[in-house]
Amino acid sequence: MDTVRDITIALLRSLGMTRIFGNPGSTELPMFRDFPADFEYILGLQEATVLAMADGYAQATRNAALVSLHSSAGVGHALGNLFTAYKNQAPLVVIAGQQARSILPFEPFLHADRPTEFPRPFVKWACEPARAADVPQAIARAYRIAMTPPFGPCFVSVPVDDWDRPGEPVAPRVLATRNPGDRTALDQLAGQLRAAKRPALVLGAGVARDQGWEAAVVLAEVQRASVYVAPFASRNVFPERHPLFGGFLKASRSDIVSQLAHHDLVVIVGGPLNLYHTETGGPHLPPGTSSWIIDDNPAVLSWAPSGNAILADSRMALTHLAGAGCDVRRPMPDMPKRSPPPRAMSDRLAMARIAALRPAGTIVVEEAPSSRSAMQELLPMLVPDSFYTTASGGLGYALPAAAGIALARRGERVIALLGDGSAMYSIQALFSAARAAVPLSVLVIVNRRYEALEQFGRHFGLSEVEGTDLSGLDFCAIARGHGVAARRAETPDELDAMLAWSFGEAGPTLVEIIVP
């Protein structure tokens, strides 16, 4: 009979999962015996880096990525970015090594105690198969669950001695999961859209996952509806220089009510509107404003504080609503005016110059919290699938995710836009980027402190915030130590020169951008 390993390799090949993201440990090694020539092992130097690389790769390919981790310690290292993958709705199959079945009763060294409980609640499903022969079927099931909306990571614990045992083959199956939504409810919403005086669309990351960009543009134009990005949306969902683009909603009740005050109908698609970060009281929507929310995740629909809800694929729902529209006579809404680009060295200047100098089709992966408003104002995303960030708010995601996205979209320039504090969480990803020789520009905004926490300190009335000083880091030296060429920019002229250099290189580079 074929071994569990032989059957699993054939299964992974049939699913298009021939890249394995991992950091090898003793209990994983038998999985890689006679490693096939058409597979590639992507080495990360720490498990959090491994998980985020796979997350970026999965989102960019729209197929589940395979992650190989060690037992408890390795899974523990990866948990922060497993949480992010869960919030990103990134489809992952995480396989973790376990000690041999014969010695598990004696709590052996490097075993996993209650392995299926440890990664919860940040996986959709977790399993340690009862028999070695069941391992391929468990991996196949994990793939199907990961690829069923809402997408997300699944976890399989595999004892080290299972790989060489006889296994049972897995038959191929078709997986069709797109949900068009309830037509009666969509038609009811279409009628309300036609009757509205000042409708608004609020779009979340689900629009990008479901490839709903064009459908969103058509619906907005048919209805002459203002379009906003939902709070903390982790993907770009609408052209950010479109005449109907109204900007980014802030993550508090009072700000959302203020920003949506002149709309009588709000249609939220692809993610929650009410993703709050700071506490304020009052209503969730302006008085007299009605709302509908459309998403493929029942949990998002359940916690929406008000309005009607439809469980549906974002693109299919948007397409239906656009087709059910009619020629409207509403005036074009007034859009916010943009301020002139800055001249002095700052994060705002950096965003403006990146926008001016980036090659066409560039992908931005961002983790610079204190500079996010500058990015949203001055570095617009203009084409689909050109922006990714962490949906969880956890740091240490963007740099390895950018490497994973660059692996998935070979030949396209990827920019990892990082704060200096964020960069240090998964700096080991520079090694993986150098080894893969991907066209990755790592741009580090260096203000020598955790500036986002300084801002929150002011919000909470703190006169001084402890533990935010980052002076003394040398990112050029760190990058060179990982095999990545690096340069520093301290003036506007240097900034332009260093960006042009980085964007023109074939392999990974790092630019340390010093701002006041």
Side-chain angles (χ1 to χ4, degrees):
M1 293 180 66
D2 288 337
T3 66
V4 167
R5 178 177 52 258
D6 296 332
I7 296 167
T8 299
I9 291 296
L11 170 67
L12 296 175
R13 186 179 288 119
S14 72
L15 297 174
M17 300 171 71
T18 56
R19 276 197 169 113
I20 299 175
F21 295 84
N23 179 275
S26 55
T27 55
E28 297 88 79
L29 292 180
M31 179 183 177
F32 305 120
R33 192 193 312 278
D34 302 321
F35 196 62
D38 60 327
F39 277 60
E40 184 180 6
Y41 189 93
I42 307 298
L43 174 62
L45 300 187
Q46 206 263 7
E47 288 85 353
T49 295
V50 167
L51 208 294
M53 283 197 297
D55 177 326
Y57 185 82
Q59 290 198 71
T61 60
R62 289 188 164 85
N63 189 33
L66 183 68
V67 180
S68 174
L69 300 178
H70 198 37
S71 54
S72 295
V75 175
H77 290 159
L79 278 182
N81 275 330
L82 186 65
F83 169 57
T84 292
Y86 184 74
K87 290 295 186 180
N88 284 349
Q89 295 186 29
L92 301 177
V93 175
V94 180
I95 299 177
Q98 171 66 296
Q99 269 290 7
R101 292 178 186 269
S102 62
I103 59 174
L104 281 177
F106 312 108
E107 298 204 11
F109 187 64
L110 289 176
H111 87 298
D113 185 28
R114 296 187 290 179
T116 62
E117 297 178 36
F118 190 31
R120 295 181 188 273
F122 306 131
V123 292
K124 293 181 66 180
W125 182 72
C127 173
E128 184 174 272
R131 305 180 303 156
D134 299 329
V135 168
Q137 190 63 252
I139 294 172
R141 183 178 177 187
Y143 175 83
R144 291 192 289 268
I145 295 174
M147 291 294 292
T148 300
F151 298 155
C154 291
F155 179 89
V156 183
S157 173
V158 182
V160 64
D161 51 340
D162 282 5
W163 296 108
D164 292 312
R165 296 185 184 278
E168 296 180 0
V170 179
R173 294 171 60 183
V174 173
L175 184 67
T177 61
R178 294 178 69 93
N179 176 13
D182 182 275
R183 182 175 292 271
T184 300
L186 287 167
D187 287 342
Q188 182 182 350
L189 170 55
Q192 290 192 20
L193 267 170
R194 289 192 295 269
K197 295 181 179 179
R198 294 177 301 279
L201 303 179
V202 176
L203 306 181
V207 173
R209 285 192 298 272
D210 296 339
Q211 297 176 280
W213 175 284
E214 292 181 5
V217 172
V218 171
L219 177 59
E221 292 176 349
V222 164
Q223 294 290 341
R224 290 196 173 185
S226 301
V227 179
Y228 301 88
V229 175
F232 296 120
S234 61
R235 302 281 297 275
N236 63 310
V237 292
F238 196 80
E240 293 169 13
R241 288 294 182 261
H242 192 283
L244 291 168
F245 183 64
F248 299 83
L249 295 182
K250 298 179 181 179
S252 76
R253 290 194 200 186
S254 57
D255 286 317
I256 289 171
V257 168
S258 175
Q259 289 178 274
L260 299 179
H262 60 288
H263 296 291
D264 58 343
L265 174 64
V266 176
V267 181
I268 306 118
V269 185
L273 167 63
N274 309 98
L275 191 61
Y276 303 134
H277 192 204
T278 54
E279 181 184 15
T280 57
H284 298 279
L285 284 172
T289 299
S290 60
S291 68
W292 288 72
I293 181 168
I294 301 170
D295 197 79
D296 63 6
N297 187 347
V300 171
L301 304 186
S302 71
W303 75 57
S306 60
N308 300 309
I310 302 173
L311 185 68
D313 175 277
S314 294
R315 184 178 72 183
M316 298 179 81
L318 289 165
T319 301
H320 182 94
L321 292 171
C326 61
D327 292 332
V328 296
R329 299 290 179 241
R330 301 186 189 104
M332 288 290 286
D334 294 329
M335 291 295 109
K337 293 182 172 59
R338 293 189 289 273
S339 57
R343 297 182 180 180
M345 194 66 180
S346 64
D347 59 351
R348 296 183 72 252
L349 177 66
M351 301 304 167
R353 300 314 299 155
I354 294 166
L357 298 173
R358 61 181 168 174
T362 298
I363 302 158
V364 176
V365 189
E366 177 265 337
E367 195 174 290
S370 62
S371 298
R372 188 163 295 154
S373 60
M375 178 197 69
Q376 292 172 344
E377 178 189 356
L378 296 162
L379 179 54
M381 307 303 157
L382 305 175
V383 296
D385 294 334
S386 59
F387 176 76
Y388 300 79
T389 189
T390 167
S392 72
L395 301 182
Y397 169 78
L399 179 53
I405 291 167
L407 279 167
R409 296 175 65 172
R410 285 277 190 181
E412 297 179 68
R413 171 66 53 180
V414 178
I415 296 172
L417 183 57
L418 313 171
D420 47 358
S422 300
M424 289 304 299
Y425 277 73
S426 293
I427 199 69
Q428 306 94 334
L430 291 172
F431 171 87
S432 302
R435 176 167 285 196
V438 289
L440 173 63
S441 295
V442 181
L443 309 181
V444 184
I445 308 295
V446 177
N447 53 30
R448 298 188 176 91
R449 62 184 183 180
Y450 289 123
E451 175 58 27
L453 290 182
E454 293 282 341
Q455 294 172 4
F456 262 97
R458 292 190 286 273
H459 172 79
F460 290 120
L462 276 66
S463 59
E464 184 176 351
V465 181
E466 296 295 331
T468 60
D469 181 10
L470 299 177
S471 56
L473 290 171
D474 186 339
F475 285 95
C476 290
I478 293 170
R480 294 180 189 121
H482 285 82
V484 174
R487 299 181 183 178
R488 180 175 291 117
E490 300 188 56
T491 68
D493 289 342
E494 289 177 349
L495 176 61
D496 277 10
M498 296 307 102
L499 290 176
W501 163 74
S502 178
F503 295 159
E505 290 293 300
T509 57
L510 182 144
V511 178
E512 190 176 21
I513 302 171
I514 310 298
V515 301

